[in-house]
Amino acid sequence: MIGLGTIRPHQICLITGSSHLHCLLTPSATSAPGTWGAYRGAPLPHLNFAEGGQSSTGSLVRWVRDMISGDGEKISYRVLDEEASRVAPGCDGLVALETWQGSRTPHTDPLARGAFVGLTLSHTRAHIFRAILESVCYGTRSCFDALEAAAATAAAEQQQSSRTDGAASSKKSNEVVIAGGATRSDLWLQLHADITGRTFLLNENTDGPLLGCAILASVGAGIYDSVDDAVENMVRRERRIEPRAEARKVYDRLYEEVYLKVRPGVKSVVHAVAELRGGASSSVGEERAVRGGGLNKLGLQHGNGIRCGKWGTKCLGTIRGGNMDESLQQSDATPRNAPIIISPSLLASDWSDMKGEVQKCLDAGVPWLHIDVFDGVFLDSPNALTFGPQMVDNLSKRFANLHPELTLDVHLCVDRPERYAIPMAEAGATRIIFQWEAMGGENNHGDDGNTLSSAISFARTITSLGMKCGVSINPETPVKSIFPLLDSGLVDLVDVLAVEPGFGGQEFNKVAIPKIVMLRQYRDEKLRTSNGAEYVDVKILVDGGIHRGTSSLVRSAGADILVAGTALFRHPLGFEEAVNELL
């Protein structure tokens, strides 16, 4: 870094070779998911830096060149560069994912693999070669963005803790000093600039380690008084590669609308392939089933796939939810073997962009949405006022036709819930989950003799309107209270609340764990085997305080569906990573 002249806060250097290494100097130590570091006192005692990395860059380019060349004489990079330079940005609809050897940052995933999306018979070797060059640059942009986001967060936290006024000491660096093998390709240098939107600086002496040693030696020998002086005199910039405005516009759209969707779009598939590689044994199948893949004894996927994002790529749909076919619903798998379903709670989403938030869920392959309807009356608080039939209607009209896998679970925590049955049915709700405590009449909260008869009557109304029916119980409600309702066969889902209803972000209440276990036992031993008669299945949903640390607890207890809000929509690494943490 010293040999490249990057010795001041906010400077970035990119060291290229078989892989890419990204280094950002920061005024304070920066540590965050998706980055490495902070490295304190480096490269000089008063500095800090954070690091990002891509596993396959130069090695990937060489692999593609060798594959294209075949067994004969290797095609020169100069020839491939010339051919690729004649291909338009975006490679005529061909996009690649560069993670051939796993992903280091900002998404750490050793099982990640590369991909081409959009291949047609009209694509040539020039398209394939350029798509690989572009994919590496997209990944570099993603690493830069993560590093600077982490630095900005650290600066903001430092400012808050010191209670100082003014802007946080963080800014974007528009210049990158680059060294290594990529500098030998004018095309690749230009693509780095165009795709990241930054100016790339090429030094006269590109051997950074050697020049860095010389700089330190010159200070030690007394030739220069400081490293700053030595860098000023010994490091000379040779070229500036500026991003081209028109190309940058094209690449901005490709990055945001295409590249960022490819990785999550193929992740479930490549993870499944990684587990099948080398043959499928029964132990592999069992392990996959525990994680939620639903593999049978041959290692094959049960159930139907669903579209993931805009790609039409087949995801393992049953891993993350959606409408399951009858054969899967009627299987005899226990909850420990059944695939887990992630259900995003829109209560924690950005209400100013509900369309975008729902699309985010669908792109991530989690189409089973949880909609909390609070009226501010049953829960006596002006803050417990959320959604109504109009929003459910808008979501159904906007997304249901394009996404048949969409599930709209409406959790009614309201006064006189019977009023909502017809409006919600007309709005397109998939299921109404009513609050057990709301069935007991005013001020009784489900503990009087009328609760069961009211609940059964309401459940019949819900199912007669063509919707599915679920019931929700508060943390203090004994789970045995609802067993007679489950015996009726009208309810296909129980919502075990692990927090008090009304607002998000609460801590998980472990009283939910024994309830889940008891529900599972009652379902498996009584509802599924009673007199060998008609099969009755009830899904166990857990809502409240679900995050990476609690999801394994409820899954082990026997939960089928995890409702998560804050942990998904407010995850520092984004929605996709949040979903993956819960699986």
Side-chain angles (χ1 to χ4, degrees), residues 306 320-321 342-344 360-369 575 579:
I306 62 171
R320 297 183 178 181
I342 305 300
S343 179
K360 183 189 298 181
C361 298
L362 296 171
D363 288 346
V366 282
W368 191 311
L369 306 183
F575 193 89
V579 171

Side-chain angles (χ1 to χ4, degrees), residues 101-251:
Q101 297 184 96
S103 176
R104 294 180 183 173
T105 66
H107 307 285
T108 303
D109 183 1
L111 295 181
R113 294 296 179 262
F116 284 108
V117 177
L119 272 172
T120 70
L121 295 178
S122 64
H123 287 121
T124 66
R125 72 182 190 186
H127 289 88
I128 292 173
F129 187 72
R130 183 179 179 117
I132 288 295
L133 297 181
E134 289 180 347
S135 72
V136 171
C137 298
Y138 289 134
T140 297
R141 175 172 172 172
S142 183
C143 290
F144 285 165
D145 289 348
L147 285 168
E148 291 188 327
T153 300
E157 291 174 351
Q158 184 180 39
Q159 176 184 329
Q160 184 177 15
S161 63
S162 61
R163 298 183 179 179
T164 57
D165 296 326
S169 178
S170 179
K171 62 181 181 181
K172 177 179 178 179
S173 175
N174 292 318
E175 295 183 341
V176 179
V177 183
I178 185 170
T183 63
R184 293 194 286 270
S185 167
D186 289 342
L187 172 62
W188 209 8
L189 278 173
Q190 188 62 59
L191 289 176
H192 276 88
D194 292 342
I195 292 175
T196 64
R198 303 168 193 257
T199 298
F200 277 71
L201 306 177
L202 190 61
N203 289 344
E204 182 181 282
N205 185 331
T206 60
D207 193 333
L210 182 62
L211 184 56
C213 290
I215 289 171
L216 295 177
S218 71
V219 176
I223 298 175
Y224 294 106
D225 294 332
S226 67
V227 173
D228 279 22
D229 289 341
V231 167
E232 185 70 26
N233 287 276
M234 297 175 68
V235 177
R236 290 182 284 273
R237 310 296 190 203
E238 181 182 69
R239 293 174 57 194
R240 294 175 61 89
I241 299 93
E242 303 283 354
R244 298 169 296 182
E246 291 304 313
R248 181 178 177 182
K249 290 179 182 178
V250 174
Y251 284 123

Side-chain angles (χ1 to χ4, degrees), residues 288-349:
R288 181 64 181 168
V290 170
R291 293 183 56 201
L295 289 173
N296 63 17
K297 292 182 179 180
L298 296 177
L300 301 177
Q301 178 67 30
H302 282 303
N304 60 317
I306 62 171
R307 287 185 298 110
C308 190
K310 299 179 180 179
W311 294 104
T313 304
K314 287 289 184 177
C315 296
L316 304 181
T318 54
I319 293 180
R320 297 183 178 181
N323 295 323
M324 294 176 290
D325 61 27
E326 291 299 317
S327 64
L328 182 58
Q329 291 181 5
Q330 300 297 325
S331 71
D332 58 0
T334 68
R336 294 179 186 273
N337 288 333
I340 198 70
I341 294 169
I342 305 300
S343 179
S345 173
L346 297 185
L347 183 66
S349 66

Side-chain angles (χ1 to χ4, degrees), residues 421-442:
I422 293 177
M424 286 300 180
E426 293 175 344
T430 307
R431 177 185 289 103
I432 283 181
I433 304 171
F434 64 85
Q435 198 65 34
W436 172 258
E437 296 79 10
M439 293 289 103
E442 185 176 4

